[in-house]
Amino acid sequence: MFRPQAAHWFRLLVAREDLPQALALLASRHGIELEVQPEESQRLLSDELADYLDSFQVLARQYQAYWPPALPVRAADPVHTTREAPQQILSAALEALERWRVEAEPLIQRLDAEKVWQAELALYEELARHLSASPLAAGLDLTTMKGNDGSWLMAGLFVLPEPLPALPATLHPILCPVSGERHHFLLAVGSQADMKSVADTVAAAKGRPLTIPHWSQGAADTVLPGIRQRLANSTDKVQRLHQALTVIHRRHDIPRHLQAVGQLQWFFAAIERVRPGPWLVHLSGWVDQADEARLNRLLHENRLHALLELSARPPVVEPPTLLINPWWAKPFELFARLLGVPGKDEVDPSPLLAVVAPLLFGYMFGDVGQGMLLVLAGLVLRKRLQISWLLVSGGLSSFVFGLLFGSLFCREDLLPALWLHPTQHPLPVLGLPIALGVLLLVTGLLLEGVSHHWRGGLASWWLRKSGILLFYLGLMGGFLHPLGWMVAAVGLGWFMLGNRLAGDSLWALLGHLGHLLESAMQLAINTLSFSRVGAFALAHAGLSQAVVTLSDLAPNPVMAFLVLLLGNLLVVMLEGLVVSVQTTRLILFEFFVRFLQGEGRPFRPLSPPPGGVPVNP
């Protein structure tokens, strides 16, 4: 569990017609990463298939916005692989899409035209609504903004994404800006030269003229209902056109064809170069499963002509690293991956972090009610957020420390403190995290020794590094009991003697002494960094008291409840973010630096194909 494992090298021999299904099946049920030697490979994607895919891309660029989603595959469906060749699948899909295009093209043209008109109506409605809301502009006739060529005085109406920039000082048009929710409108009146300059400035600001239709003649407040009715009619027409397109989709079975083409695109993107023969194809790479019989049984149960073998990896290829952890430690692999993947001879700290990270978070964020809110948020987001267990575990820890601190939704007068109230006893709150920091740093130094042991260098670590651990323990213990200083002296002597026994000269020992003093200084600074855990616990308690004080000053119970509610939400969002950052910082820069280098190669399995494993309808 604490030691990463190397991925397993596999070789797969599969019938050419079964290759897409075999690869999709393995990628959906297990983690596989392909690694093909380029000098031994050829292109599997033939010119015929490439032409088919190019033709599909041409159609997709033009019509993809009007296609339905690909047909989904239910997890409960039995897996039955299809025997159709990729050429047959692509040819049938292209024929169906071409028949769909011929029938759907008139509807698409009408739909595009209606959407353009709908967008114009939305602009008219937005402008008329804001004009009618102004007592001075409610009676303005929008049609007076239409062009009036031949007159020395011209009027114009423009729409812009942003307010109009300043005009040159030499121009003096009359400008009336109107700001809507999404657009900015400009009514302008002036000479022909002025209006030409306004039009150029609007165009430079990515705006355009807006022409009001003749049927909208009248005051803005009187034509607004008519514009809204036309907008509703246009929306209904767009919906009817979409429904007609849906009928055409079903008639030509477009969702199923899109699913088949999407799976083939996934397949050829995953392996563009393999080692094919006339009938058999050879694949090789890495898999996270060590049971060869189980993998072959999976292939045979799905009636695929394939044989998979787990064997020794090629000597020139570095295997990816697998982190083997139980479900409750899996989410905490995130912390180690921030520095890289632990190598096969490095300790994976994820199971340890499953205890340490929630402990640090809960200590700084101790509140029963707020902890339950985090637990609830983690449970609600468990299907959409992979790290939702971090919220759950952090919330549970906050709940426990809330009981110890006697805090419930910022109030400390509702629950008895099982330990103490932070603001009433600040010194113990500050001191306990330092003791935890000493324990973590000692654990990090010991984990470094474990890594040396796995590399076969335990004797070297014992002679050269273990003295640093003993010296650090003595220094920390010396602040509590004089015996600690004697332990530190023993650690110093052992460090110098160990390096001497390891073969270093007397002059080299002076350099090692400097290294020991530097390491001791770094460890002391790392230890003091954990005092911020207590400081943030006090800050959380102080902010909670401020919320309660503001609530008590409210003029009535309703306002008091609202202040308490908003204050708790602010604490959860603000303090939750700050405490999460501090927890991550302490783990990465105070704990990991003692033993973790991140020397492993990450395992990058193929993502499952879109829609799941190909099945027969």
Side-chain angles (χ1 to χ4, degrees):
M1 181 169 62
F2 285 95
R3 186 172 187 178
Q5 296 182 10
H8 308 281
W9 179 262
F10 78 89
R11 294 187 298 176
L12 177 66
L13 197 63
V14 58
R16 179 187 285 267
E17 65 270 15
D18 289 342
L19 178 58
Q21 290 76 28
L23 191 63
L25 185 65
L26 290 174
S28 299
R29 304 293 175 83
H30 298 284
I32 60 170
E33 178 181 345
L34 298 181
E35 182 149 0
V36 183
Q37 304 300 316
E39 63 274 8
E40 299 177 346
S41 61
Q42 304 171 18
R43 284 182 59 86
L44 182 70
L45 184 62
S46 65
D47 292 338
E48 181 183 7
L49 287 174
D51 291 340
Y52 278 135
L53 290 175
D54 289 341
S55 300
F56 177 79
Q57 290 298 334
V58 171
L59 286 172
R61 282 193 293 270
Q62 187 172 2
Y63 298 106
Q64 190 170 24
Y66 307 99
W67 287 346
L71 187 67
V73 177
R74 295 175 301 174
D77 288 342
V79 177
H80 299 297
T81 56
T82 179
R83 299 298 179 186
E84 287 185 283
Q87 292 90 335
Q88 296 174 328
I89 296 174
L90 288 172
S91 176
L94 288 174
E95 290 177 4
L97 288 171
E98 183 61 29
R99 293 193 300 269
W100 172 89
R101 183 192 66 80
V102 172
E103 189 173 353
E105 183 71 36
L107 281 179
I108 291 175
Q109 293 178 357
R110 292 170 57 190
L111 182 61
D112 287 343
E114 192 62 33
K115 285 184 176 180
V116 171
W117 175 235
Q118 190 180 50
E120 290 294 301
L121 285 173
L123 288 175
Y124 303 152
E125 191 273 341
E126 185 178 356
L127 174 61
R129 178 160 39 86
H130 282 80
L131 289 177
S132 61
S134 172
L136 297 178
L140 177 65
D141 187 350
L142 296 175
T143 57
T144 59
M145 296 293 101
K146 298 180 67 174
N148 47 0
D149 296 337
S151 172
W152 70 272
L153 186 64
M154 301 183 65
L157 177 62
F158 305 91
V159 58
L160 302 95
E162 300 292 339
L164 185 71
L167 294 173
T170 55
L171 301 176
H172 303 284
I174 300 174
L175 302 179
C176 179
V178 178
S179 294
E181 294 88 356
R182 293 180 298 173
H183 303 88
H184 296 270
F185 302 93
L186 180 68
L187 285 70
V189 178
S191 65
Q192 293 186 6
D194 290 342
M195 294 304 296
K196 182 178 183 306
S197 179
V198 171
D200 292 341
T201 306
V202 168
K206 299 181 180 180
R208 62 180 177 88
L210 182 63
T211 302
I212 300 299
H214 64 85
W215 49 262
S216 64
Q217 184 174 5
D221 53 353
T222 60
V223 301
L224 183 58
I227 295 177
R228 287 176 172 169
Q229 183 60 47
R230 289 175 183 266
L231 186 58
N233 294 340
S234 178
T235 302
D236 292 340
K237 187 174 181 179
V238 168
Q239 291 178 350
R240 291 195 299 271
L241 290 172
H242 276 297
Q243 292 171 355
L245 274 178
T246 301
V247 174
I248 301 176
H249 298 335
R250 296 172 179 171
R251 183 180 301 140
H252 298 285
D253 205 6
I254 299 302
R256 184 178 64 83
H257 287 294
L258 291 179
Q259 180 204 45
V261 174
Q263 289 170 336
L264 285 177
Q265 287 178 315
W266 169 86
F267 167 70
F268 287 115
I271 51 168
E272 185 182 357
R273 299 171 66 87
V274 298
R275 292 160 56 186
W279 301 281
L280 297 176
V281 177
H282 177 264
L283 290 177
S284 57
W286 307 98
V287 64
D288 61 1
Q289 175 61 248
D291 191 344
E292 179 180 307
R294 179 180 178 182
L295 293 170
N296 280 297
R297 187 166 56 251
L298 177 66
L299 295 169
H300 297 160
E301 286 175 351
N302 289 277
R303 301 192 297 276
L304 297 175
H305 300 91
L307 179 64
L308 187 144
E309 177 191 21
L310 299 181
S311 60
R313 64 177 177 88
V316 296
V317 181
E318 179 188 0
T321 301
L322 300 176
L323 302 183
I324 310 299
N325 288 301
W327 66 268
W328 49 267
K330 278 282 182 187
F332 295 91
E333 294 176 359
L334 167 70
F335 291 96
R337 295 183 187 276
L338 292 175
L339 291 183
V341 178
K344 61 183 180 65
D345 293 329
E346 292 185 286
V347 176
D348 173 18
S350 302
L352 184 61
L353 293 182
V355 177
V356 172
L359 193 64
L360 293 173
F361 182 91
Y363 195 93
M364 292 185 280
F365 198 75
D367 188 281
V368 172
Q370 294 166 8
M372 285 297 95
L373 289 179
L374 293 180
V375 172
L376 180 62
L379 294 177
V380 170
L381 298 174
R382 66 186 184 279
K383 294 183 178 179
R384 286 182 279 178
L385 191 64
Q386 294 182 348
I387 60 173
S388 60
W389 178 245
L390 299 182
L391 285 175
V392 174
S393 60
L396 291 175
S397 179
S398 299
F399 175 87
V400 172
F401 278 101
L403 293 176
L404 294 176
F405 294 152
S407 177
L408 174 63
F409 287 121
C410 294
R411 301 196 68 95
E412 295 184 350
D413 54 351
L414 301 178
L415 292 176
L418 300 183
W419 181 33
L420 51 78
H421 291 296
T423 53
Q424 298 176 13
H425 305 278
L427 291 182
V429 174
L430 290 171
L432 185 61
I434 295 179
L436 176 62
V438 172
L439 181 60
L440 275 180
L441 294 178
V442 169
T443 303
L445 293 172
L446 290 174
L447 293 180
E448 183 187 22
V450 173
S451 297
H452 278 77
H453 170 62
W454 288 341
R455 297 188 183 100
L458 180 59
S460 175
W461 178 85
W462 185 254
L463 292 174
R464 296 184 179 274
K465 299 286 187 178
S466 61
I468 298 177
L469 171 59
L470 192 60
F471 184 68
Y472 170 67
L473 280 175
L475 289 180
M476 294 300 102
F479 292 102
L480 302 177
H481 194 279
L483 184 61
W485 303 114
M486 297 179 60
V487 175
V490 173
L492 174 60
W494 172 244
F495 178 79
M496 302 300 288
L497 178 61
N499 281 278
R500 179 59 176 167
L501 293 175
D504 291 341
S505 65
L506 294 176
W507 286 107
L509 293 181
L510 295 177
H512 289 310
L513 180 60
H515 171 67
L516 173 64
L517 296 177
E518 179 186 11
S519 298
M521 183 65 68
Q522 290 177 351
L523 287 167
I525 294 174
N526 295 152
T527 304
L528 288 176
S529 292
F530 281 90
S531 63
R532 70 183 66 203
V533 176
F536 275 98
L538 292 175
H540 181 268
L543 186 58
S544 298
Q545 282 191 352
V547 171
V548 173
T549 301
L550 290 176
S551 174
D552 292 340
L553 294 175
N556 56 68
V558 175
M559 287 296 298
F561 173 77
L562 290 177
V563 170
L564 194 62
L565 175 63
L566 295 177
N568 273 276
L569 292 176
L570 176 64
V571 170
V572 169
M573 291 186 293
L574 180 61
E575 286 282 320
L577 177 62
V578 173
V579 168
S580 299
V581 171
Q582 290 302 321
T583 301
T584 304
R585 183 197 177 282
L586 288 170
I587 290 173
L588 292 183
F589 300 112
E590 315 298 342
F591 181 47
F592 280 179
V593 293
R594 307 265 70 89
F595 64 95
L596 186 61
Q597 302 297 323
E599 298 173 346
R601 169 185 164 183
F603 180 60
R604 296 187 175 92
L606 291 175
S607 59
V613 181
V615 299
N616 287 328

